[in-house]
Amino acid sequence: MNNFTYVRATTVKDAVNRAVADQNAMFIGGGTNLVDLLKAFVKEPSQLIDISRLQMQKIEKMANGSLRLGALVTNTAVADHADIRRNYPILTRAILSGASQQIRNIATVGGNLLQKTRCPYYYDPAFPCNKRQPGTGCPAATGINRMHAILGASDQCVAVHPSDMCVALTALDAVVEVAGPQDKRQIPFVDFHRLPENTPQKDSNLAPGELITSVILPPLAFAKSGVYLKLRDRTSYSFALISVAAAVEIVDDKIKDVRLAMGGVAHKPWRATAAEKFLIGKSADISTFTQAANIALEAAQPLADNGYKVELTKRAIRRALTVSAQGGGIA
Ligand code: SF4
């Protein structure tokens, strides 16, 4: 691990000012991903700005019925919150399907959004990697790519975003609140993460110095029937091969509204907007869900080792939509 300085930020403004003054500084909250990256020499910040004592540790109800999750609320606290368990079961199930209880007890909302891909080449400085060091190449594109992207990749990077929680937040129309050197702003969740294109080193649309302060969950009545289905190599403590977050609202035997997002398929959580549009007004049956799954995967471009993800994701979409249409529960 390289030498770095450590400071404890006293306020959000203090944290942002310090990050603006030192562009090679990094914020640290729970540190569950960052410490691994430091130990592996993947990240070599000049300074760690400890934000863990800042006042961003509450879940608050807002006047319009939304919930505001402070950026430092732990994953465990989000998953266990009574309103979230009742009204946004997609989010509770997504969080509980990720990591271990010990990690969830310390990992934070903000940190979950900013965790790095688990592409093994990224974590091994013996290999080139465009995300770690732009312009060096992407060994995963022609190497071992069983876990990699089937949608939205570029010739620069084929990594996937590893978060379960972010797939749920994408489906739930969440909004990210950030504080920057000039002002605060809100970013719709679907616009928070990026596709790799020619800048795979950038995972999000945060500007330099910006700090995530909270995530807003808007009210969405039919999210109560939401489903999160994660498929992986083993049943615990494993990243998704693919995952699906789905919520369907049925009125008079027709689909009135729907949310559908996928994980483990792209550099960002993938909202299936074309499939959602197709589903509106249709009968909630297996034929409709099969067509929606085909639309969601229409643009898939699998690599040498991950063609299985296309059919696996289609089947997971059918299953998640079916269970949600029946009222929700464990898929
Ligand atoms: Fe690096 Fe992305 Fe290629 Fe993995 S997929 S080796 S993270 S550039």
Side-chain angles (χ1 to χ4, degrees), residues 117-123 127-133 136-141 148-149 155-160 196 200 267:
T117 180
R118 264 54 176 193
C119 172
Y121 298 104
Y122 176 74
Y123 283 78
F127 286 93
C129 169
N130 285 329
K131 184 179 284 297
R132 184 169 13 86
Q133 201 172 351
T136 56
C138 174
H148 290 71
D155 60 357
Q156 296 285 303
C157 180
V158 294
V160 295
H267 197 260

Side-chain angles (χ1 to χ4, degrees), residues 34-276:
L34 180 55
V35 172
D36 285 346
L37 295 165
L38 296 175
K39 288 194 286 192
F41 297 94
V42 176
K43 289 289 178 192
E44 298 183 325
S46 52
Q47 179 180 191
L48 285 186
I49 303 169
D50 184 350
I51 59 167
S52 63
R53 270 79 167 178
L54 300 184
Q55 296 305 306
M56 305 189 292
Q57 305 179 359
K58 283 188 193 153
I59 298 178
E60 300 168 284
K61 281 190 193 179
M62 300 169 71
N64 66 356
S66 298
L67 280 183
R68 175 181 273 132
L69 318 180
L72 291 171
V73 178
T74 66
N75 287 187
T76 297
V78 176
D80 286 350
H81 192 275
D83 289 343
I84 293 172
R85 290 172 73 98
R86 185 170 49 245
N87 298 327
Y88 307 96
I90 297 177
L91 184 54
T92 290
R93 292 197 186 105
I95 291 171
L96 295 181
S97 75
S100 65
Q101 183 66 57
Q102 290 86 350
I103 290 174
R104 294 193 295 267
N105 288 346
I106 191 79
T108 64
V109 168
N112 194 300
L113 270 59
L114 296 179
Q115 63 180 299
K116 306 297 285 186
T117 180
R118 264 54 176 193
C119 172
Y121 298 104
Y122 176 74
Y123 283 78
D124 188 345
F127 286 93
C129 169
N130 285 329
K131 184 179 284 297
R132 184 169 13 86
Q133 201 172 351
T136 56
C138 174
T142 52
I144 297 169
N145 49 40
R146 178 174 170 271
M147 298 289 288
H148 290 71
I150 55 173
L151 288 165
S154 73
D155 60 357
Q156 296 285 303
C157 180
V158 294
V160 295
H161 195 269
S163 169
D164 293 295
M165 186 173 94
C166 291
V167 182
L169 293 172
T170 299
L172 293 169
D173 296 327
V175 173
V176 186
E177 294 191 308
V178 305
Q182 311 304 333
D183 217 340
K184 297 174 182 174
R185 68 180 177 122
Q186 294 188 328
I187 308 171
F189 207 88
V190 288
D191 297 329
F192 182 81
H193 295 99
R194 298 165 57 97
L195 291 177
E197 299 177 338
N198 291 322
T199 53
Q201 71 277 17
K202 293 184 183 174
D203 289 324
S204 78
N205 285 312
L206 284 175
E210 280 188 325
L211 174 68
I212 299 171
T213 55
S214 56
V215 171
I216 293 178
L217 273 179
L220 188 69
F222 69 93
K224 281 184 181 171
S225 66
V227 166
Y228 188 71
L229 176 56
K230 175 177 180 177
L231 300 173
R232 47 190 157 169
D233 283 331
R234 58 178 186 229
T235 52
S236 72
Y237 200 43
S238 188
F239 290 97
L241 296 170
I242 63 96
S243 65
V244 174
V248 184
E249 181 180 28
I250 311 281
V251 175
D252 296 334
D253 293 330
K254 301 284 185 204
I255 299 169
K256 183 178 178 208
D257 208 350
V258 60
R259 299 290 184 277
L260 184 61
M262 301 177 278
V265 296
H267 197 260
K268 60 185 284 185
W270 193 273
R271 181 80 176 256
T273 46
E276 288 177 349

Side-chain angles (χ1 to χ4, degrees), residues 317-331:
I317 288 172
R318 287 203 297 266
R319 177 77 183 151
L321 289 171
T322 300
V323 174
S324 180
Q326 291 168 349
I330 305 289

